[in-house]
Amino acid sequence: MKANLLKIIFKLVWLLLLTFSMLACSQHAPKHDENVSISKVDLDETSEAVSSQSQKGISKIGATTNTIPQNLKIIKSAKTKYKVKNVKVATQQIKQVATKYGAYISDMRFENNLYKKENRFTIKIPQIHFDAIMDSISNFVEFIDYENITTQDVTEEYVDLESRLKTKLEVKERYEGILRKKAITVEDILNTEDKIRIIQEEIEAAQGKLKYLSNKVAFSTIQIDLYETVDYQDEPVSYNKTFWTKAKNALKFGWEFLESLLVGLLHIWPLLIVGTILVIVFRKRIRKK
């Protein structure tokens, strides 16, 4: 009995030792964190996808910002009014700036009254220098009353005229081919020439319109109104004339009277001739008696 009991106890101790040894080995074994590695891979792939998408987005934004319409036909014009210290000096300065940028003054009107001096003129300037000359003018003025700048987009009208002109030129070329090769009778020749004449008039009208639009686009218009305030002075009621002024007026009056008299005699020269003949005849009759 004692021997069997000892065997059983020995087996139990052996099993316990074996169990403890296996647990110890499992604790010291390296752990493989598969979840962590998978998450890292997912994060890396996500970051690469996001960066690639952001780069695509940036490229798209750049593409949209760079798609600016080319060859636009814009007519620019401005109406301005400035107060200056001296109208003549400011006008001369603006003329110099206009000459520098290849511009010219198309019209000018100067006005001087009891309240202010004013000079209004229009500048025709190449469109590429429009902003430059506007900035330069502001350096010569004391106060800006207003600056109104307007733009007119005539691109659609310009392109339409160009396409119409191209079509008309092609039609004219076909008519000319018919006139050279297929028009045999006099009636056919006259009809073809009439059609060519009509299409030529339409071509010239379209070319004139295109030239007009091209000039309007190439040269911008700036209307400038300069004014200078002056101290108000009452207008004199009467003027006291000096001796020399009176003598000058008298000589002028005498000359004008003599000139009018001579002109009047020239107007009645037939009467003078008839009168002279009558006087001569009358004198001869008196002498005979």
Side-chain angles (χ1 to χ4, degrees):
M1 292 291 293
K2 290 182 179 180
N4 292 330
L5 182 60
L6 290 172
K7 289 181 179 180
I8 293 170
I9 292 171
F10 180 75
K11 288 180 180 181
L12 289 173
V13 172
W14 175 254
L15 288 173
L16 289 173
L17 291 173
L18 183 62
T19 303
F20 282 125
S21 62
M22 291 178 65
L23 290 173
C25 291
S26 63
Q27 288 179 357
H28 291 289
K31 297 181 180 180
H32 300 282
D33 195 353
E34 296 178 354
N35 294 330
V36 173
S37 61
I38 292 171
S39 63
K40 288 182 179 178
V41 173
D42 293 339
L43 287 173
D44 292 338
E45 291 178 354
T46 306
S47 62
E48 290 177 359
V50 171
S51 62
S52 62
Q53 289 178 359
S54 63
Q55 289 177 357
K56 290 180 180 179
I58 292 171
S59 62
K60 288 181 180 179
I61 293 172
T64 54
T65 54
N66 290 331
T67 56
I68 300 174
Q70 300 294 326
N71 299 325
L72 289 177
K73 303 298 180 180
I74 305 295
I75 299 175
K76 298 182 72 173
S77 60
K79 291 184 179 181
T80 62
K81 186 174 183 180
Y82 305 108
K83 179 184 177 183
V84 295
K85 186 176 181 180
N86 189 300
V87 168
K88 291 185 177 180
V89 173
T91 301
Q92 188 63 31
Q93 291 172 337
I94 294 174
K95 282 183 178 180
Q96 292 176 357
V97 173
T99 304
K100 176 183 176 181
Y101 289 105
Y104 64 94
I105 296 176
S106 60
D107 60 82
M108 181 178 293
R109 185 180 67 182
F110 180 80
E111 182 180 354
N112 187 6
N113 53 39
L114 299 175
Y115 302 95
K116 63 181 179 180
K117 296 178 181 179
E118 190 172 11
N119 193 14
R120 298 176 181 175
F121 53 94
T122 303
I123 296 177
K124 297 287 187 179
I125 182 168
Q127 190 186 101
I128 57 174
H129 301 313
F130 180 86
D131 296 330
I133 198 169
M134 288 292 293
D135 295 337
S136 300
I137 291 173
S138 61
N139 297 326
F140 310 132
V141 303
E142 290 185 338
F143 181 76
I144 300 175
D145 285 22
Y146 59 80
E147 286 182 344
N148 298 329
I149 299 175
T150 58
T151 59
Q152 181 183 0
D153 190 353
V154 294
T155 306
E156 183 177 358
E157 183 180 1
Y158 193 91
V159 173
D160 182 65
L161 280 172
E162 281 187 330
S163 61
R164 289 176 181 270
L165 179 60
K166 182 179 179 181
T167 303
K168 293 181 186 299
L169 289 171
E170 292 175 354
V171 172
K172 180 187 175 184
E173 187 176 355
R174 288 198 296 269
Y175 277 128
E176 289 176 346
I178 292 171
L179 182 63
R180 289 192 302 268
K181 298 178 181 179
K182 297 183 179 180
I184 300 174
T185 64
V186 176
E187 184 178 0
D188 292 340
I189 293 173
L190 293 176
N191 290 334
T192 307
E193 288 180 346
D194 187 60
K195 292 182 183 296
I196 292 175
R197 179 185 59 80
I198 294 173
I199 199 70
Q200 180 63 32
E201 292 177 354
E202 295 176 354
I203 288 172
E204 291 176 356
Q207 289 175 341
K209 183 66 174 178
L210 277 175
K211 185 177 180 180
Y212 171 78
L213 288 178
S214 298
N215 291 335
K216 293 287 286 184
V217 169
F219 280 86
S220 299
T221 302
I222 304 177
Q223 294 182 1
I224 300 176
D225 188 352
L226 302 178
Y227 70 93
E228 166 194 351
T229 57
V230 296
D231 296 332
Y232 175 76
Q233 295 180 357
D234 293 330
E235 189 174 2
V237 178
S238 60
Y239 298 92
N240 294 323
K241 296 181 181 180
T242 61
F243 171 77
W244 294 109
T245 302
K246 294 179 180 178
K248 183 179 178 181
N249 292 337
L251 291 173
K252 183 179 179 181
F253 176 78
W255 173 256
E256 290 178 351
F257 176 76
L258 179 61
E259 184 180 16
S260 300
L261 180 62
L262 292 174
V263 172
L265 291 175
L266 291 174
H267 278 89
I268 60 173
W269 67 268
L271 296 177
L272 292 176
I273 294 174
V274 173
T276 303
I277 294 172
L278 290 176
V279 169
I280 294 172
V281 172
F282 182 73
R283 285 182 177 180
K284 286 182 177 181
R285 286 183 178 182
I286 291 175
R287 289 176 181 176
K288 289 180 179 179
K289 291 181 180 181

